Amino acid sequence: MSLSALFWRIKQWNQYWKCEFSAGWDVSDQEQIRAARTFAVHGAAVQPVQKHTQTILESDSEVLEVLDFGAVSGMSPQLGSNAGVVRSVQVKTMISRTASSEKWGRLLLRLAQLKSGKVNLELGTNLGIGLRYLVTGSHFQNQWISIEGDPNTANLARNAFSDAQQVTLITGRFSDVLPQVLEENHDFGLVFIDGHHDGFATQKYADDIFGNMKSGGWMVLDDIRWSPSMKQAWEQLVTRPWVDRWVDLGKMGILVVK
Ligand SMILES: C[S@@+](CC[C@H](N)C(=O)[O-])C[C@H]1O[C@@H](n2cnc3c(N)ncnc32)[C@H](O)[C@@H]1O
């Protein structure tokens, strides 16, 4: 990453944990979201997530060869190469750098308690750590579908979810497998977009998915301040006619579907 790109990202850090609501929210929803933030920052470790992480760490793979379809540095517009980029990464490093952290994970857990529906969707399973928070916060009958492009990462997540009947993991590039997921599933209550991290691609996924969401469903976008293109995507998406209202939580943003 270039020095100017690094400075850009550091400048965004003081915006993390902001909480800016658009017009149209009622007071009780605002209070629930503020309470979710407080729980995220001050809550305790979540036992099912600790168990999940332990299962991953106990797997035989210390180092994975991963096929990465995401934006590499995020600093230039990039739709992701068709073939993906192969690299070696330590599983421990992936847990600390790529997976949702405890704080943001707890926020996901609370958002799932508030808004998960009978069917929900995640783009970017990675090791399933964010998904474990989402599943922990959801009613046990609520289903989660999650898509991961890298087969080796997906296998580790699949192994850690062998106990969870409400989880369906799909392996494939979003652009290849999402159309079929959308053909077969409707009325998503909660959608979490946390992969690719390219602004143009993120806008496309959001525009493709909203029509399959319940009215009033929440689309959560991660890393809206990860790069200029992701920030621009967020600024554009909040103006879409299908967006009823939004909240900017700094690192994440939530769009409420009309
Ligand atoms: C930041 S990680 C997801 C973290 C996870 N949601 C969590 O909360 O722990 C992003 C994941 O998306 C996957 N990914 C990125 N671009 C993709 C694409 N175009 N298609 C499929 N998977 C992709 C990567 O392989 C990576 O595992």
Side-chain angles (χ1 to χ4, degrees):
M1 191 192 300
S2 72
L3 213 54
S4 66
L6 184 67
F7 280 135
W8 187 90
R9 205 170 280 173
I10 288 170
K11 245 175 79 185
Q12 304 303 310
W13 284 346
N14 66 6
Q15 301 268 355
Y16 277 29
W17 295 106
K18 68 189 277 189
C19 189
E20 183 189 339
F21 291 92
S22 69
W25 287 89
D26 64 37
V27 174
S28 72
D29 275 353
Q30 290 194 21
E31 275 169 5
Q32 282 183 323
I33 290 175
R34 289 209 175 88
R37 277 172 80 243
T38 307
F39 171 76
V41 177
H42 300 291
V46 174
Q47 205 260 336
V49 177
Q50 289 181 310
K51 199 168 151 238
H52 184 107
T53 309
Q54 201 52 41
T55 309
I56 302 270
L57 287 170
E58 280 165 6
S59 74
D60 285 339
S61 334
E62 276 180 27
V63 177
L64 281 192
E65 289 266 286
V66 298
L67 180 58
D68 193 344
F69 292 110
V72 178
S73 78
M75 289 302 153
S76 55
Q78 180 186 350
L79 285 167
S81 89
N82 279 327
V85 177
V86 178
R87 53 195 173 80
S88 291
V89 60
Q90 278 205 314
V91 172
K92 270 194 296 195
T93 309
M94 215 195 277
I95 289 175
S96 62
R97 296 219 188 125
T98 328
S100 281
S101 68
E102 277 195 37
K103 286 184 180 167
W104 291 102
R106 281 193 292 266
L107 184 76
L108 292 176
L109 186 154
R110 270 293 149 87
L111 297 181
Q113 276 176 342
L114 292 174
K115 269 294 158 181
S116 70
K118 284 202 162 55
V119 197
N120 308 280
L121 174 68
E122 178 187 49
L123 298 196
T125 320
N126 193 246
L127 296 168
I129 291 178
L131 182 57
R132 182 60 78 171
Y133 281 103
L134 290 163
V135 169
T136 305
S138 302
H139 187 278
F140 74 98
Q141 283 178 327
N142 288 358
Q143 298 291 313
W144 275 93
I145 297 167
S146 181
I147 306 175
E148 169 55 48
D150 171 54
N152 291 334
T153 310
N155 279 343
L156 281 188
R158 192 164 277 118
N159 182 35
F161 276 116
S162 57
D163 64 330
Q165 297 200 335
Q166 68 272 51
V167 171
T168 304
L169 298 181
I170 295 173
T171 309
R173 199 173 181 230
F174 302 148
S175 51
D176 295 334
V177 298
L178 187 59
Q180 193 171 345
V181 169
L182 295 178
E183 215 174 284
E184 293 171 357
N185 299 278
H186 301 268
D187 289 340
F188 295 120
L190 190 59
V191 170
F192 180 41
I193 301 184
D194 184 21
H196 206 155
H197 295 99
D198 170 76
F200 295 102
T202 299
Q203 291 187 60
K204 167 133 180 54
Y205 301 138
D207 284 332
D208 287 349
I209 292 169
F210 84 87
N212 286 51
M213 293 182 66
K214 283 196 327 198
S215 171
W218 286 7
M219 184 183 284
V220 181
L221 303 172
D222 199 13
D223 293 313
I224 58 173
R225 290 186 167 76
W226 189 71
S227 66
S229 105
M230 286 297 287
K231 192 159 175 248
Q232 197 184 6
W234 169 252
E235 286 161 2
Q236 302 262 322
L237 283 168
V238 296
T239 68
R240 292 289 203 272
W242 51 265
V243 173
D244 183 49
R245 56 193 191 281
W246 51 264
V247 52
D248 181 345
L249 295 168
K251 182 171 179 286
M252 289 182 190
I254 303 175
L255 304 170
V256 182
V257 173
K258 260 188 190 151

